[in-house]
Amino acid sequence: MMVTPTHVYVVTHSATQTGKYGIADLDSWRIAEHRSQGWHLYRAVLLPSRQAALQVERSVEAQLRADGVSARMPADLMPQRGHSETVNLDEVPAPDLWNRVLVAAAEVEAQADTTRVVLFLAVLEGDRFLVVGTDTPLGPSQGSPECALGEELAAEGWLVYASNMTAVAAEAALRGLRQWADAAGVSDSEELRTDEWPVPLLRNAYVLNGPADEELGQARIAVGVSLSRIFADAEDDY
């Protein structure tokens, strides 16, 4: 699952005294589309992922609903869509609307910084497969990080390396790994991601080109964090 940095924006329409909040990907035409209809960009903040931006958008919507603020623009006056995220600027001035976005963004980022996950790499040497994923930690296992998916892989003979970290750090590590894979010509195999895998946790499944131990070493460097071998006893049993 790729992580796409995404803007949360506020635009205003002076002729109708209307403000709007919304989200737009980095390469999106969304804000330009609003401009083509007479809107002006007031402010925008970049969030680390589309999921985080959606959380901010929903939080602002909830704030406005709690304050009894309803949508301003009729749908037929917004051919570019998005009328449900509009407000009357006399009721909610642009600085107020923008502040709501900033407060929500700070809350979402704070939650992301405190959400602990396990980032893991697991390699099956015989078939030269490297799988990558994240999972919520279930607590230490003999002094090492533990995740349910990693334990399942270890039981099947995979060598599993993992580390506890924040969700934000895990996503940054995954980006580093994907850059290495692109540069090394290591392919991400869709065939390995079947219904048998917990797909939301399994981020990438690579088919390695060379010896598994060499490319695993390169992958561990690419993630930029310290990873420890876990579930060694589980592997010894098989």
Side-chain angles (χ1 to χ4, degrees), residues 201-224:
L201 302 180
L202 188 62
R203 298 304 185 86
N204 294 90
Y206 294 111
V207 179
L208 302 178
N209 297 321
D213 55 349
E214 292 182 13
E215 293 198 326
L216 173 64
Q218 295 171 14
R220 291 181 64 183
I221 293 172
V223 300

PDB file of all heavy atoms in Angstrom, residues 201-224:
ATOM      1  N   LEU A 201      -1.764  -5.764   5.976  1.00  0.00           N
ATOM      2  CA  LEU A 201      -0.513  -5.794   6.734  1.00  0.00           C
ATOM      3  C   LEU A 201       0.679  -6.070   5.831  1.00  0.00           C
ATOM      4  O   LEU A 201       1.787  -5.631   6.107  1.00  0.00           O
ATOM      5  CB  LEU A 201      -0.582  -6.868   7.834  1.00  0.00           C
ATOM      6  CG  LEU A 201      -1.725  -6.718   8.830  1.00  0.00           C
ATOM      7  CD1 LEU A 201      -1.660  -7.840   9.855  1.00  0.00           C
ATOM      8  CD2 LEU A 201      -1.662  -5.377   9.528  1.00  0.00           C
ATOM      9  N   LEU A 202       0.470  -6.820   4.765  1.00  0.00           N
ATOM     10  CA  LEU A 202       1.562  -7.166   3.874  1.00  0.00           C
ATOM     11  C   LEU A 202       1.719  -6.056   2.837  1.00  0.00           C
ATOM     12  O   LEU A 202       0.936  -5.945   1.912  1.00  0.00           O
ATOM     13  CB  LEU A 202       1.296  -8.505   3.191  1.00  0.00           C
ATOM     14  CG  LEU A 202       2.457  -9.066   2.376  1.00  0.00           C
ATOM     15  CD1 LEU A 202       3.658  -9.338   3.261  1.00  0.00           C
ATOM     16  CD2 LEU A 202       2.031 -10.339   1.661  1.00  0.00           C
ATOM     17  N   ARG A 203       2.743  -5.231   3.015  1.00  0.00           N
ATOM     18  CA  ARG A 203       2.877  -4.060   2.167  1.00  0.00           C
ATOM     19  C   ARG A 203       3.501  -4.387   0.811  1.00  0.00           C
ATOM     20  O   ARG A 203       3.096  -3.865  -0.206  1.00  0.00           O
ATOM     21  CB  ARG A 203       3.722  -3.001   2.885  1.00  0.00           C
ATOM     22  CG  ARG A 203       3.106  -2.508   4.190  1.00  0.00           C
ATOM     23  CD  ARG A 203       1.704  -1.958   3.959  1.00  0.00           C
ATOM     24  NE  ARG A 203       1.155  -1.386   5.157  1.00  0.00           N
ATOM     25  CZ  ARG A 203       1.359  -0.139   5.555  1.00  0.00           C
ATOM     26  NH1 ARG A 203       2.107   0.659   4.837  1.00  0.00           N
ATOM     27  NH2 ARG A 203       0.822   0.309   6.669  1.00  0.00           N
ATOM     28  N   ASN A 204       4.543  -5.206   0.796  1.00  0.00           N
ATOM     29  CA  ASN A 204       5.216  -5.558  -0.448  1.00  0.00           C
ATOM     30  C   ASN A 204       5.673  -7.000  -0.384  1.00  0.00           C
ATOM     31  O   ASN A 204       5.988  -7.510   0.695  1.00  0.00           O
ATOM     32  CB  ASN A 204       6.432  -4.662  -0.698  1.00  0.00           C
ATOM     33  CG  ASN A 204       6.049  -3.218  -0.933  1.00  0.00           C
ATOM     34  OD1 ASN A 204       5.961  -2.447   0.009  1.00  0.00           O
ATOM     35  ND2 ASN A 204       5.822  -2.848  -2.173  1.00  0.00           N
ATOM     36  N   ALA A 205       5.708  -7.652  -1.528  1.00  0.00           N
ATOM     37  CA  ALA A 205       6.205  -9.025  -1.628  1.00  0.00           C
ATOM     38  C   ALA A 205       7.160  -9.071  -2.815  1.00  0.00           C
ATOM     39  O   ALA A 205       6.721  -9.030  -3.963  1.00  0.00           O
ATOM     40  CB  ALA A 205       5.057 -10.005  -1.815  1.00  0.00           C
ATOM     41  N   TYR A 206       8.455  -9.105  -2.540  1.00  0.00           N
ATOM     42  CA  TYR A 206       9.464  -9.004  -3.579  1.00  0.00           C
ATOM     43  C   TYR A 206      10.026 -10.364  -3.962  1.00  0.00           C
ATOM     44  O   TYR A 206      10.218 -11.234  -3.109  1.00  0.00           O
ATOM     45  CB  TYR A 206      10.622  -8.117  -3.100  1.00  0.00           C
ATOM     46  CG  TYR A 206      10.231  -6.677  -2.888  1.00  0.00           C
ATOM     47  CD1 TYR A 206      10.179  -6.139  -1.607  1.00  0.00           C
ATOM     48  CD2 TYR A 206       9.923  -5.852  -3.971  1.00  0.00           C
ATOM     49  CE1 TYR A 206       9.831  -4.816  -1.406  1.00  0.00           C
ATOM     50  CE2 TYR A 206       9.568  -4.527  -3.774  1.00  0.00           C
ATOM     51  CZ  TYR A 206       9.524  -4.015  -2.494  1.00  0.00           C
ATOM     52  OH  TYR A 206       9.170  -2.709  -2.300  1.00  0.00           O
ATOM     53  N   VAL A 207      10.319 -10.522  -5.246  1.00  0.00           N
ATOM     54  CA  VAL A 207      11.044 -11.679  -5.751  1.00  0.00           C
ATOM     55  C   VAL A 207      12.490 -11.224  -5.931  1.00  0.00           C
ATOM     56  O   VAL A 207      12.774 -10.347  -6.750  1.00  0.00           O
ATOM     57  CB  VAL A 207      10.466 -12.182  -7.084  1.00  0.00           C
ATOM     58  CG1 VAL A 207      11.259 -13.383  -7.589  1.00  0.00           C
ATOM     59  CG2 VAL A 207       9.002 -12.547  -6.921  1.00  0.00           C
ATOM     60  N   LEU A 208      13.395 -11.784  -5.148  1.00  0.00           N
ATOM     61  CA  LEU A 208      14.784 -11.341  -5.154  1.00  0.00           C
ATOM     62  C   LEU A 208      15.523 -11.876  -6.372  1.00  0.00           C
ATOM     63  O   LEU A 208      15.236 -12.959  -6.877  1.00  0.00           O
ATOM     64  CB  LEU A 208      15.470 -11.799  -3.868  1.00  0.00           C
ATOM     65  CG  LEU A 208      14.815 -11.307  -2.569  1.00  0.00           C
ATOM     66  CD1 LEU A 208      15.551 -11.854  -1.359  1.00  0.00           C
ATOM     67  CD2 LEU A 208      14.758  -9.785  -2.527  1.00  0.00           C
ATOM     68  N   ASN A 209      16.503 -11.103  -6.842  1.00  0.00           N
ATOM     69  CA  ASN A 209      17.272 -11.486  -8.021  1.00  0.00           C
ATOM     70  C   ASN A 209      18.445 -12.394  -7.682  1.00  0.00           C
ATOM     71  O   ASN A 209      18.770 -13.315  -8.422  1.00  0.00           O
ATOM     72  CB  ASN A 209      17.804 -10.237  -8.733  1.00  0.00           C
ATOM     73  CG  ASN A 209      16.681  -9.355  -9.254  1.00  0.00           C
ATOM     74  OD1 ASN A 209      15.680  -9.851  -9.742  1.00  0.00           O
ATOM     75  ND2 ASN A 209      16.846  -8.050  -9.138  1.00  0.00           N
ATOM     76  N   GLY A 210      19.091 -12.082  -6.558  1.00  0.00           N
ATOM     77  CA  GLY A 210      20.305 -12.809  -6.208  1.00  0.00           C
ATOM     78  C   GLY A 210      20.152 -13.583  -4.924  1.00  0.00           C
ATOM     79  O   GLY A 210      19.029 -13.851  -4.477  1.00  0.00           O
ATOM     80  N   PRO A 211      21.286 -13.951  -4.294  1.00  0.00           N
ATOM     81  CA  PRO A 211      21.229 -14.684  -3.023  1.00  0.00           C
ATOM     82  C   PRO A 211      20.407 -13.926  -1.994  1.00  0.00           C
ATOM     83  O   PRO A 211      20.558 -12.713  -1.822  1.00  0.00           O
ATOM     84  CB  PRO A 211      22.703 -14.783  -2.616  1.00  0.00           C
ATOM     85  CG  PRO A 211      23.454 -14.671  -3.909  1.00  0.00           C
ATOM     86  CD  PRO A 211      22.656 -13.727  -4.750  1.00  0.00           C
ATOM     87  N   ALA A 212      19.539 -14.646  -1.304  1.00  0.00           N
ATOM     88  CA  ALA A 212      18.609 -13.997  -0.380  1.00  0.00           C
ATOM     89  C   ALA A 212      19.335 -13.254   0.728  1.00  0.00           C
ATOM     90  O   ALA A 212      18.927 -12.157   1.118  1.00  0.00           O
ATOM     91  CB  ALA A 212      17.656 -15.034   0.206  1.00  0.00           C
ATOM     92  N   ASP A 213      20.420 -13.836   1.260  1.00  0.00           N
ATOM     93  CA  ASP A 213      21.086 -13.188   2.383  1.00  0.00           C
ATOM     94  C   ASP A 213      21.707 -11.861   1.974  1.00  0.00           C
ATOM     95  O   ASP A 213      21.691 -10.889   2.728  1.00  0.00           O
ATOM     96  CB  ASP A 213      22.137 -14.118   3.006  1.00  0.00           C
ATOM     97  CG  ASP A 213      23.157 -14.615   1.998  1.00  0.00           C
ATOM     98  OD1 ASP A 213      22.942 -14.411   0.790  1.00  0.00           O
ATOM     99  OD2 ASP A 213      24.168 -15.208   2.424  1.00  0.00           O
ATOM    100  N   GLU A 214      22.241 -11.775   0.749  1.00  0.00           N
ATOM    101  CA  GLU A 214      22.837 -10.527   0.278  1.00  0.00           C
ATOM    102  C   GLU A 214      21.774  -9.445   0.098  1.00  0.00           C
ATOM    103  O   GLU A 214      21.947  -8.312   0.540  1.00  0.00           O
ATOM    104  CB  GLU A 214      23.579 -10.760  -1.045  1.00  0.00           C
ATOM    105  CG  GLU A 214      24.818 -11.629  -0.928  1.00  0.00           C
ATOM    106  CD  GLU A 214      25.528 -11.773  -2.251  1.00  0.00           C
ATOM    107  OE1 GLU A 214      25.196 -11.011  -3.192  1.00  0.00           O
ATOM    108  OE2 GLU A 214      26.410 -12.658  -2.355  1.00  0.00           O
ATOM    109  N   GLU A 215      20.692  -9.794  -0.550  1.00  0.00           N
ATOM    110  CA  GLU A 215      19.675  -8.781  -0.817  1.00  0.00           C
ATOM    111  C   GLU A 215      18.887  -8.431   0.438  1.00  0.00           C
ATOM    112  O   GLU A 215      18.410  -7.308   0.579  1.00  0.00           O
ATOM    113  CB  GLU A 215      18.759  -9.232  -1.954  1.00  0.00           C
ATOM    114  CG  GLU A 215      19.516  -9.285  -3.271  1.00  0.00           C
ATOM    115  CD  GLU A 215      18.630  -9.292  -4.487  1.00  0.00           C
ATOM    116  OE1 GLU A 215      17.527  -9.870  -4.425  1.00  0.00           O
ATOM    117  OE2 GLU A 215      19.049  -8.719  -5.511  1.00  0.00           O
ATOM    118  N   LEU A 216      18.768  -9.373   1.364  1.00  0.00           N
ATOM    119  CA  LEU A 216      18.160  -9.025   2.641  1.00  0.00           C
ATOM    120  C   LEU A 216      19.019  -8.002   3.357  1.00  0.00           C
ATOM    121  O   LEU A 216      18.504  -7.045   3.947  1.00  0.00           O
ATOM    122  CB  LEU A 216      17.985 -10.273   3.511  1.00  0.00           C
ATOM    123  CG  LEU A 216      17.502 -10.011   4.934  1.00  0.00           C
ATOM    124  CD1 LEU A 216      16.098  -9.401   4.923  1.00  0.00           C
ATOM    125  CD2 LEU A 216      17.511 -11.295   5.760  1.00  0.00           C
ATOM    126  N   GLY A 217      20.337  -8.179   3.312  1.00  0.00           N
ATOM    127  CA  GLY A 217      21.234  -7.203   3.924  1.00  0.00           C
ATOM    128  C   GLY A 217      21.069  -5.827   3.315  1.00  0.00           C
ATOM    129  O   GLY A 217      21.036  -4.819   4.031  1.00  0.00           O
ATOM    130  N   GLN A 218      20.940  -5.761   1.995  1.00  0.00           N
ATOM    131  CA  GLN A 218      20.726  -4.483   1.330  1.00  0.00           C
ATOM    132  C   GLN A 218      19.384  -3.875   1.735  1.00  0.00           C
ATOM    133  O   GLN A 218      19.266  -2.661   1.948  1.00  0.00           O
ATOM    134  CB  GLN A 218      20.781  -4.681  -0.183  1.00  0.00           C
ATOM    135  CG  GLN A 218      22.128  -5.125  -0.713  1.00  0.00           C
ATOM    136  CD  GLN A 218      22.072  -5.508  -2.168  1.00  0.00           C
ATOM    137  OE1 GLN A 218      21.097  -5.209  -2.873  1.00  0.00           O
ATOM    138  NE2 GLN A 218      23.105  -6.176  -2.655  1.00  0.00           N
ATOM    139  N   ALA A 219      18.366  -4.725   1.837  1.00  0.00           N
ATOM    140  CA  ALA A 219      17.040  -4.240   2.222  1.00  0.00           C
ATOM    141  C   ALA A 219      17.060  -3.684   3.637  1.00  0.00           C
ATOM    142  O   ALA A 219      16.433  -2.658   3.927  1.00  0.00           O
ATOM    143  CB  ALA A 219      16.025  -5.373   2.116  1.00  0.00           C
ATOM    144  N   ARG A 220      17.794  -4.342   4.542  1.00  0.00           N
ATOM    145  CA  ARG A 220      17.866  -3.863   5.926  1.00  0.00           C
ATOM    146  C   ARG A 220      18.550  -2.503   6.003  1.00  0.00           C
ATOM    147  O   ARG A 220      18.173  -1.648   6.811  1.00  0.00           O
ATOM    148  CB  ARG A 220      18.595  -4.884   6.792  1.00  0.00           C
ATOM    149  CG  ARG A 220      17.798  -6.171   6.997  1.00  0.00           C
ATOM    150  CD  ARG A 220      18.541  -7.147   7.890  1.00  0.00           C
ATOM    151  NE  ARG A 220      18.707  -6.610   9.243  1.00  0.00           N
ATOM    152  CZ  ARG A 220      19.371  -7.238  10.211  1.00  0.00           C
ATOM    153  NH1 ARG A 220      19.935  -8.417   9.960  1.00  0.00           N
ATOM    154  NH2 ARG A 220      19.469  -6.711  11.401  1.00  0.00           N
ATOM    155  N   ILE A 221      19.544  -2.293   5.158  1.00  0.00           N
ATOM    156  CA  ILE A 221      20.201  -0.976   5.116  1.00  0.00           C
ATOM    157  C   ILE A 221      19.236   0.072   4.565  1.00  0.00           C
ATOM    158  O   ILE A 221      19.156   1.197   5.058  1.00  0.00           O
ATOM    159  CB  ILE A 221      21.470  -1.050   4.254  1.00  0.00           C
ATOM    160  CG1 ILE A 221      22.520  -1.936   4.935  1.00  0.00           C
ATOM    161  CG2 ILE A 221      22.034   0.348   4.001  1.00  0.00           C
ATOM    162  CD1 ILE A 221      23.731  -2.226   4.074  1.00  0.00           C
ATOM    163  N   ALA A 222      18.464  -0.324   3.549  1.00  0.00           N
ATOM    164  CA  ALA A 222      17.569   0.627   2.884  1.00  0.00           C
ATOM    165  C   ALA A 222      16.477   1.149   3.806  1.00  0.00           C
ATOM    166  O   ALA A 222      16.065   2.309   3.691  1.00  0.00           O
ATOM    167  CB  ALA A 222      16.941  -0.033   1.655  1.00  0.00           C
ATOM    168  N   VAL A 223      15.988   0.320   4.726  1.00  0.00           N
ATOM    169  CA  VAL A 223      14.907   0.794   5.598  1.00  0.00           C
ATOM    170  C   VAL A 223      15.404   1.831   6.597  1.00  0.00           C
ATOM    171  O   VAL A 223      14.620   2.614   7.126  1.00  0.00           O
ATOM    172  CB  VAL A 223      14.206  -0.362   6.345  1.00  0.00           C
ATOM    173  CG1 VAL A 223      13.590  -1.343   5.378  1.00  0.00           C
ATOM    174  CG2 VAL A 223      15.164  -1.078   7.292  1.00  0.00           C
ATOM    175  N   GLY A 224      16.698   1.851   6.859  1.00  0.00           N
ATOM    176  CA  GLY A 224      17.277   2.901   7.688  1.00  0.00           C
ATOM    177  C   GLY A 224      16.976   2.793   9.167  1.00  0.00           C
ATOM    178  O   GLY A 224      17.155   3.769   9.912  1.00  0.00           O
TER     179      GLY A 224
END
